[in-house]
């Protein structure tokens, strides 16, 4: 009898499971939200991004866009004059102090941008640090920080900014002291928001298996906080940043409007120019108040549209509902 050939058994090694990596554009906060948006939500987000980008570009290129300095009253020996209507020399007219309105509005974008950046950076770093420490370690430190955060919510940002402005510069601010007082006021008021969001995420993340595993194998605490906990606890920060940036601008404008902001000879500030033009409005002089007022409205509108759009798109239920509406 001929031996039957034994069937060949091929024990192929199992193929490694490859995780599909998300494209880079889907990991960048604003761009990923823009790709997910549809319909009216996309229109609002695009409009907000356009207004915000224009504001940032004007602030960065202010020395090249503005024809004159923020405190310049004459050119080539010719005085501008006070409250002059729009003319070839001053295309948006002049203020009651003899400054060029167009130049003041352009330079004011730079001042507003610096104040927003300083206030947001201070709030982010302090809020994230306190939220990270409080949520991870807990105990009596967590209870004390939560009570302090609840107490700070009762402080109005504008009133606190006025007090800090008087304490820092006696109510007569230069560019640095004016931005510093505004940034400190916004920092104190908005740190609890970052603190609460980060703390809640840290409490959730520290109970995950990968954090427990890192703790068991002896990974240092600072490495766990930075590499594992922090990276997974700041997903909502971009939304809060956009929502708080507009409040920083309004606080700066409120200080200037009330006379506690930056002096006209130190820097251009929209709130200061708007406050000085209140008396001009009753005399029919519109060109001193409309440009800075419209600038404040457009910038706040742009930042708010971006923040609200990101907030809606970060909610999976709203995003799914909008996609269903767009498909229908």
């Amino acid at each position: 009898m001929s031996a039957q050939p034994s069937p060949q058994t091929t024990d192929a090694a199992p193929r490694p499971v490859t995780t599909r990596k998300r494209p880079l554009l889907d990991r960048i906060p604003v761009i990923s939200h823009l790709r997910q948006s549809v319909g009216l939500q996309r229109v609002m987000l695009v409009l907000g991004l356009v207004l915000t980008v224009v504001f940032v570009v004007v602030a960065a290129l202010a020395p090249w866009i503005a024809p004159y300095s923020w405190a310049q009253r004459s050119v080539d020996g010719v005085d501008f004059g006070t409250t002059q209507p729009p003319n070839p020399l001053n295309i948006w007219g002049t203020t009651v102090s003899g400054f060029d309105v167009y130049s003041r509005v352009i330079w004011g974008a730079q001042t507003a941008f610096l104040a927003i950046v300083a206030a947001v950076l201070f709030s982010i770093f302090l809020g994230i640090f306190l939220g990270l420490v409080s949520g991870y370690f807990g105990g009596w430190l967590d209870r004390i920080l939560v009570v302090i955060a609840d107490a700070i919510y009762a402080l109005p940002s504008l009133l606190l900014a006025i007090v800090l402005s008087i304490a820092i510069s006696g109510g007569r601010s230069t560019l640095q002291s004016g931005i510093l007082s505004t940034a400190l006021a916004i920092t104190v008021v908005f740190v609890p928001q970052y603190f609460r969001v980060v703390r809640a995420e840290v409490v959730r993340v520290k109970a995950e298996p990968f954090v427990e595993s890192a703790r068991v194998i002896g990974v240092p605490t600072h490495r766990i906080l930075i590499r594992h906990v922090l990276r997974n606890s700041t997903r909502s920060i971009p939304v809060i940043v956009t929502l708080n940036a507009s409040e920083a601008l309004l606080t700066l404008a409120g200080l200037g409007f009330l006379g506690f902001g930056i002096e006209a000879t130190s820097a251009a500030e929209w709130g200061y120019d708007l406050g000085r033009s209140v008396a001009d409005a009753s005399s029919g002089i519109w060109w001193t108040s409309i440009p800075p007022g419209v600038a404040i409205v457009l910038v706040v509108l742009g930042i708010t549209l971006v923040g609200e759009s990101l907030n809606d798109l970060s909610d999976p239920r709203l995003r799914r509902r909008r996609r269903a509406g767009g498909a229908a």
Side-chain angles (χ1 to χ4, degrees):
M1 294 178 63
S2 59
Q4 295 292 334
S6 60
Q8 297 180 355
T9 59
T10 58
D11 296 336
R15 295 181 179 180
V17 179
T18 58
T19 59
R20 191 174 175 181
K21 195 172 183 179
R22 295 174 59 192
L24 178 62
L25 294 179
D26 290 341
R27 287 178 286 167
I28 301 176
V30 177
I31 298 180
S32 63
H33 288 85
L34 182 61
R35 291 163 64 92
Q36 296 170 1
S37 61
V38 293
L40 180 61
Q41 188 65 55
R42 171 168 291 185
V43 174
M44 294 173 58
L45 181 56
V46 170
L47 178 60
L49 288 175
V50 169
L51 293 175
T52 305
V53 170
V54 170
F55 163 64
V56 174
V57 171
V58 171
L61 302 180
W64 294 274
I65 298 177
Y68 312 112
S69 175
W70 61 81
Q72 188 172 346
R73 291 188 174 93
S74 63
V75 60
D76 297 332
V78 179
D79 292 335
F80 293 154
T82 60
T83 60
Q84 294 296 315
N87 56 78
L89 192 62
N90 309 108
I91 57 176
W92 286 359
T94 60
T95 67
V96 68
S97 301
F99 302 132
D100 182 61
V101 174
Y102 177 71
S103 300
R104 296 276 303 176
V105 171
I106 299 299
W107 283 104
Q110 189 177 81
T111 305
F113 177 76
L114 292 176
I116 291 174
V117 170
V120 169
L121 287 180
F122 290 166
S123 302
I124 285 178
F125 284 119
L126 188 56
I128 289 179
F129 173 76
L130 294 178
L132 189 63
V133 173
S134 177
Y136 186 80
F137 294 103
W140 61 269
L141 178 63
D142 179 45
R143 291 192 292 270
I144 292 176
L145 291 177
V146 169
V147 171
I148 294 175
D150 292 337
I152 291 178
Y153 273 122
L155 299 175
S157 59
L158 184 57
L159 180 59
L160 182 60
I162 293 174
V163 174
L164 289 175
S165 177
I166 296 175
I168 293 175
S169 57
R172 301 179 63 84
S173 301
T174 61
L175 177 62
Q176 292 79 11
S177 60
I179 291 177
L180 180 61
S181 61
T182 304
L184 289 177
I186 297 299
T187 299
V188 173
V189 174
F190 289 138
V191 157
Q193 297 186 16
Y194 296 96
F195 167 77
R196 282 189 167 278
V197 171
V198 174
R199 176 186 173 275
E201 289 294 322
V202 170
V203 171
R204 179 187 63 83
V205 171
K206 77 174 184 179
E208 295 290 336
F210 64 89
V211 177
E212 293 290 341
S213 301
R215 190 183 297 114
V216 168
I217 63 177
V219 178
T221 302
H222 70 276
R223 187 177 180 87
I224 295 177
L225 287 174
I226 298 175
R227 294 290 301 273
H228 301 288
V229 179
L230 180 61
R231 292 178 59 182
N232 296 278
S233 303
T234 57
R235 298 178 181 178
S236 301
I237 295 300
V239 178
I240 305 177
V241 167
T242 53
L243 295 177
N244 291 158
S246 59
E247 182 67 22
L249 175 58
L250 291 176
T251 302
L252 178 67
L255 282 174
F257 186 85
L258 296 175
F260 296 100
I262 303 172
E263 292 187 0
T265 56
S266 299
E269 201 276 304
W270 294 334
Y272 175 88
D273 292 340
L274 196 60
R276 296 276 294 183
S277 63
V278 171
D280 299 337
S282 60
S283 303
I285 303 175
W286 54 268
W287 56 86
T288 59
S289 58
I290 289 182
V294 171
I296 294 174
V297 171
L298 290 180
V299 174
V300 172
L301 176 63
I303 298 175
T304 303
L305 286 177
V306 173
E308 291 295 337
S309 300
L310 295 181
N311 190 26
D312 290 346
L313 293 171
S314 297
D315 191 339
R317 295 171 300 178
L318 293 177
R319 185 170 61 248
R320 193 178 302 116
R321 189 183 309 162
R322 292 183 184 277
R323 284 188 175 275

